[in-house]
Amino acid sequence: MNRFKMDPNLKWMIKINSLMVNPIQFDRLNKDDKCKLDQDKYVLQKIIRSHITGIIVMLLVYGLILGFIDFKSLPIMYDIIVLIFMATGLLQSIVYFYNVLFESQDYDIYKTLPVKESYIVIAKIISVALASCSVVAPILVVSIASAIRNGRGLMSILGVLDFILIFMVTMFLGAGISTLIGGFNIRKKWRNLFMNLVNMVNIIINVGFVLS
């Protein structure tokens, strides 16, 4: 059983990067008195709980919304909805990857520690994946709903595979684009402005979809 136990160094790095994925959330939690007394444990628990809550909320809300769409009569709706949430997932992953790759500025710290270099990459990917999962969760709902509406309930497993594939694509593109942005020799304030605009567009897309 011990061979399946996560390396403590990797676990610690995932904790650190989970804090850096969303600096605004971290700053808010950091003001909590309880957090100050036991930051490592309390903050991580709060962040993981928020990720899980976000996934559940997105599945429930969009499950109710998408469950009434007749994908059999309107097959194009499936493509439109998937593209919408793939776009929001991509935008969010760009922001998250940018935060852990550039804003965190933690590479020099890791170099002084006895940790594998591969752990740095793995920890950052896992932390971003945990935070981004809720954004693309509706794709899982629409894929399964589409299969059921088309009388292919047993084929809903393909909806899960679609979700995994799309999620991996958004993660890959998000990492590439954020790396490209971080490599530009431009002022930090302009990069931050771009990231804020990405967040704003993401919010507008989600709110617009719900209201429509």
Side-chain angles (χ1 to χ4, degrees):
M1 294 296 292
N2 289 333
R3 60 181 176 177
F4 297 108
K5 187 176 181 180
M6 182 182 292
D7 189 305
N9 289 326
L10 177 58
K11 186 176 181 180
W12 174 79
M13 293 176 71
I14 293 174
K15 289 181 180 181
I16 298 299
N17 282 278
S18 294
L19 301 179
M20 296 298 104
V21 163
N22 192 337
I24 296 177
Q25 182 185 30
F26 173 68
D27 290 339
R28 185 174 66 252
L29 292 174
N30 202 33
K31 295 178 181 179
D32 192 307
D33 291 336
K34 184 177 179 181
C35 169
K36 292 178 181 178
L37 294 175
D38 193 1
Q39 178 171 313
D40 183 57
K41 181 179 179 180
Y42 179 72
V43 175
L44 185 64
Q45 287 179 346
K46 291 285 288 186
I47 289 177
I48 292 177
R49 193 179 299 125
S50 69
H51 292 335
I52 295 175
T53 301
I55 293 173
I56 294 174
V57 169
M58 292 289 277
L59 290 175
L60 289 176
V61 171
Y62 286 101
L64 293 173
I65 296 174
L66 301 176
F68 293 99
I69 298 178
D70 188 355
F71 292 103
K72 188 174 183 179
S73 302
L74 299 169
I76 194 174
M77 285 299 295
Y78 172 79
D79 297 325
I80 293 174
I81 294 172
V82 168
L83 285 175
I84 289 174
F85 287 105
M86 186 174 179
T88 59
L90 174 59
L91 292 174
Q92 200 64 66
S93 66
I94 291 172
V95 175
Y96 288 156
F97 269 116
Y98 181 80
N99 288 338
V100 299
L101 292 175
F102 301 99
E103 287 295 310
S104 60
Q105 298 180 349
D106 53 1
Y107 285 103
D108 291 336
I109 297 176
Y110 292 141
K111 289 179 180 178
T112 63
L113 301 175
V115 296
K116 297 179 181 179
E117 188 172 344
S118 60
Y119 281 3
I120 300 176
V121 178
I122 293 173
K124 292 182 181 296
I125 292 175
I126 291 177
S127 62
V128 172
L130 290 173
S132 301
C133 193
S134 62
V135 183
V136 295
I139 294 177
L140 177 61
V141 176
V142 70
S143 297
I144 294 177
S146 177
I148 295 175
R149 283 283 187 174
N150 283 283
R152 296 179 285 111
L154 293 178
M155 297 297 288
S156 60
I157 185 65
L158 294 179
V160 178
L161 297 178
D162 283 344
F163 167 75
I164 294 174
L165 177 61
I166 293 172
F167 183 60
M168 291 176 63
V169 170
T170 57
M171 289 282 290
F172 178 79
L173 292 177
I177 296 174
S178 63
T179 301
L180 182 64
I181 295 172
F184 285 149
N185 186 23
I186 56 179
R187 291 186 177 182
K188 182 178 178 180
K189 68 175 183 179
W190 293 114
R191 288 202 299 265
N192 291 340
L193 176 61
F194 174 79
M195 292 302 158
N196 289 332
L197 288 175
V198 167
N199 272 323
M200 186 180 300
V201 171
N202 199 9
I203 293 173
I204 292 173
I205 291 175
N206 276 283
V207 173
F209 182 84
V210 173
L211 293 179
S212 64

